[in-house]
Structures are given as structure tokens and as C-alpha cells.
Amino acid sequence: GNSVTQMEGPVTLSEEAFLTINCTYTATGYPSLFWYVQYPGEGLQLLLKATKADDKGSNKGFEATYRKETTSFHLEKGSVQVSDSAVYFCALPNTGNQFYFGTGTSLTVIP
Amino acid sequence: NAGVTQTPKFQVLKTGQSMTLQCAQDMNHNSMYWYRQDPGMGLRLIYYSASEGTTDKGEVPNGYNVSRLNKREFSLRLESAAPSQTSVYFCASSPWAGTGGNEQFFGPGTRLTVL
């Protein structure tokens, strides 16, 4: 089945630093790809998605490009803020509408 | 719109006790899911319901049962709780099950401890 491999954390950055969280996928065909974010004490919420190869998803200053050549969907942000501290999950659909979630990458941004 | 709601938020059980986790969504979604989240393991699917009247096992169904009570509600039951079931449980819903990869909407979670 489909799966993702996600960069392990935790990641600690200073405010305004550049963020990259790596995600590579294994999939049949070209499924949509997703990044979810989980803030402390909350459930997951969709951060961004890309529905086909070469698409770029973006939201709240975060971006990720669906690259079929490298089977990657890395999450980036040019200047992180303290409020970006959260756990980030890469995900893709598996059979039916089941999702396969990565193990999550914890990000802490310090002032 | 409340989205996806879960009750209770916290629960402590003794080994062998039973309990039911409740989940409801008000978005008229067809599909609903139960996940558990454990440190270092991401989210693992326990059971899902592609549509009202159907339920299917996910990756880790042992020790759990589910009921899709109606289109809005999907409950998860632990018949005889074990310490290995200590986890955070999330309910989610999506418009429908299919290969399009529809976004899933998550509830706030239930933190369960089994002593």
C-alpha cells in the first residue's frame, strides 16, 4: 500500500529561521498529498494539500511542492514564528479513503 | 458548526473495565474514522465507517468494537481495557470514502489512561 516516510524530530528553531520538514512517499499512481498540523492539546487540522504532480500547496506561509521525480512533498516556511510550534504530519490516501499518516515531526520555535 | 465532537476529553480506567468513546459530526459527512495516537507512531487507524450502516477494520482493531449509530455518530467501545490501550483517541470524518483523498476533519481527542 501507499506510505510516507517523514523526517524525525524534534526540530528546534529560532524565530524567523527557515524551516524544512522532509517527506517522501511511496504510492501507486499519483494520489493527493497532504500536510496536517496538530497544535498542543488539539486534533489534527489540514495545513495544505496538492492534488497532482508539480502542484504547490500553500497556507499560512507554509508551502510544499508535489515532486514525482523525487517522490517528495517537503514542507517549507521562510520565517517561522513561535505560534508555528506544533507537530506536523505528512499524509496520503491509502485504499479507499483511509489515510496513511507519517510519524509526525515536532517543531518548537523559540523567541 | 461544532464540526467533530468527542466525549469524554479525559478518562482513567482500571484494567478490565469497559467504556465507550462517543463521536459526532454535524457536517453531513458520510465517512467516519477512529484513530489512536501513540508517541513515535503517528496515527493508526482502528476502525472506519465508509458510510452509514458499514464498518471495517483498520490497522489495529483488536480489543475494540465500533457502532455507526446513524450518519452523525460513530462510537468506539473497549470491552475489557488493557494498559496497552492507553493512548489518545481521535475521531475524524470526511465527505465520502473514495480514492480522491478527501480531507479528514478531526475531533479534539480523548486522552485515555488504563491502569
Side-chain angles (χ1 to χ4, degrees), chain B residues 2-22:
Chain B
V4 180
T5 57
Q6 292 183 237
T7 56
K9 290 192 188 310
F10 301 94
Q11 184 71 48
V12 178
L13 294 177
K14 295 180 179 179
T15 297
Q17 288 185 317
S18 63
M19 77 162 296
T20 300
L21 281 65
Q22 306 287 354

Side-chain angles (χ1 to χ4, degrees), chain A residues 19 23 39 63 66 72 74 76 81-82 88 93 99 102 109-111:
Chain A
L19 169 70
C23 172
Y39 297 105
E63 293 183 338
Y66 190 157
S72 66
H74 304 325
E76 297 181 334
Q81 305 300 312
V82 171
Y88 294 82
F99 266 60
V109 180
I110 55 177

Side-chain angles (χ1 to χ4, degrees), chain B residues 56-103:
Chain B
D56 287 286
K57 295 179 180 179
E59 181 185 355
V60 289
N62 290 346
Y64 305 95
N65 285 301
V66 291
S67 295
R68 183 75 183 266
L69 304 170
N70 48 55
K71 192 171 186 179
R72 291 186 63 248
E73 298 172 287
F74 188 40
S75 63
L76 178 72
R77 183 160 178 83
L78 287 69
E79 290 291 351
S80 178
S84 60
Q85 294 178 304
T86 294
S87 188
V88 182
Y89 291 85
F90 288 100
C91 178
S93 70
S94 67
W96 66 84
T99 55
N102 301 288
E103 175 187 354

Side-chain angles (χ1 to χ4, degrees), chain A residues 53-95:
Chain A
D54 300 325
D55 259 6
K56 177 185 285 187
S58 61
N59 186 27
K60 300 182 180 180
F62 290 88
E63 293 183 338
T65 301
Y66 190 157
R67 300 198 186 280
K68 64 178 181 180
E69 302 83 4
T70 54
T71 62
S72 66
F73 192 54
H74 304 325
L75 182 68
E76 297 181 334
K77 187 174 185 181
S79 175
V80 294
Q81 305 300 312
V82 171
S83 57
D84 294 326
S85 298
V87 181
Y88 294 82
F89 294 88
C90 187
L92 81 171
N94 208 341
T95 55

